[in-house]
Amino acid sequence: MRENADIKIIGANVILIPYETKHVQKYHKWMCDPELLKLTASEPLTLDQEYDMQETWRHDEDKCTFLVLEKEIYERTTDEIGALIGDTNLFLNQDYFLSDFDNECAQQDLNNETIIAEAEIMIAEPEARGKGLGNEAILLMLKYGQSELGVQEFVSKIGYENIASQNLFTKLKFEEQSRSDVFQEVAFKRTVDENWIEWLNQEIKTYKIENYSR
């Protein structure tokens, strides 16, 4: 997405940055891990395909992605590649949401051009897990989607076996909407309202948008 191609979001313990070509090799290495592919419901790509995918993340208007840096490592080393620990994504207004939320309300939302975004978070580096970094990264992404992209409703689709992510989105005040035995996924939803925005702002300790220098 061009809107986030030249910015970074600085939190208390993580920094969100755009996905650049210089990051592709490390990202591709992550996505060669069968366990990560399973948890993220992703298909394996060749390195050339991953470079092509990086271009779509940069230019497609319905995709917003940030890579996640562990702030302490980056500030100590100034090495983005070494500080990379995962990514967080938003897919905006995809028709396939209706397969998970197949009811009159979902159809009405699309007809009324409600901005809906599917939210994802992945912490790929094992040593970065269990430190609250994924929680902070997705909070920053939800805040960006709500405040800068005008998202009015967030959804998330999580595999049956990914209990950690299910617990995380429940903690983020998403509510379970449906289960698909075919895709082995649980669908969650969070409508953006004043109470949730107030809660979101209280949860985020630091939120600064700055220009991203390449």
Side-chain angles (χ1 to χ4, degrees), residues 49-62:
Q49 288 173 326
E50 194 63 64
Y51 276 107
D52 291 340
M53 183 64 70
Q54 183 270 329
E55 282 295 312
T56 70
W57 282 113
R58 184 171 180 81
H59 296 293
D60 288 4
E61 292 305 316
D62 61 351

Side-chain angles (χ1 to χ4, degrees), residues 51-207:
Y51 276 107
D52 291 340
M53 183 64 70
Q54 183 270 329
E55 282 295 312
T56 70
W57 282 113
R58 184 171 180 81
H59 296 293
D60 288 4
E61 292 305 316
D62 61 351
K63 300 176 182 176
C64 180
T65 192
F66 285 101
L67 298 187
V68 183
L69 304 183
E70 187 167 352
K71 189 176 181 181
E72 185 276 328
I73 296 176
Y74 178 70
E75 291 184 340
R76 174 166 45 84
T77 66
T78 67
D79 176 10
E80 279 189 2
I81 306 303
L84 282 178
I85 60 171
D87 74 335
T88 180
N89 310 306
L90 294 178
F91 299 88
L92 278 76
N93 285 3
Q94 298 291 319
D95 290 342
Y96 58 68
F97 292 154
L98 285 179
S99 65
D100 290 328
F101 306 103
D102 190 13
N103 54 53
E104 293 182 3
C105 292
Q107 185 64 62
Q108 183 177 3
D109 282 345
L110 288 183
N111 291 340
N112 291 337
E113 298 184 351
T114 297
I115 300 177
I116 304 171
E118 181 182 2
E120 296 181 341
I121 178 67
M122 175 185 74
I123 299 300
E125 293 292 332
E127 64 271 20
R129 298 172 188 159
K131 300 163 67 173
L133 302 178
N135 180 71
E136 182 181 1
I138 191 63
L139 283 169
L140 296 178
M141 179 57 114
L142 295 174
K143 178 63 180 175
Y144 179 77
Q146 173 262 314
S147 63
E148 305 300 325
L149 304 179
V151 175
Q152 297 157 284
E153 188 171 283
F154 291 100
V155 299
S156 185
K157 297 184 293 183
I158 303 170
Y160 279 178
E161 295 184 12
N162 195 346
I163 302 301
S165 287
Q166 292 180 39
N167 291 338
L168 172 60
F169 277 86
T170 300
K171 182 179 176 181
L172 296 169
K173 299 188 178 296
F174 280 57
E175 297 180 351
E176 181 178 325
Q177 297 295 299
S178 64
R179 289 178 174 254
S180 170
D181 291 335
V182 174
F183 295 105
Q184 295 286 291
E185 290 178 334
V186 186
F188 290 87
K189 175 181 173 182
R190 176 67 245 180
T191 299
V192 175
D193 56 34
E194 291 183 3
N195 290 335
W196 186 73
I197 293 173
E198 182 179 358
W199 172 85
L200 183 64
N201 291 336
Q202 289 174 349
E203 290 293 305
I204 296 173
K205 308 305 179 187
T206 303
Y207 177 84

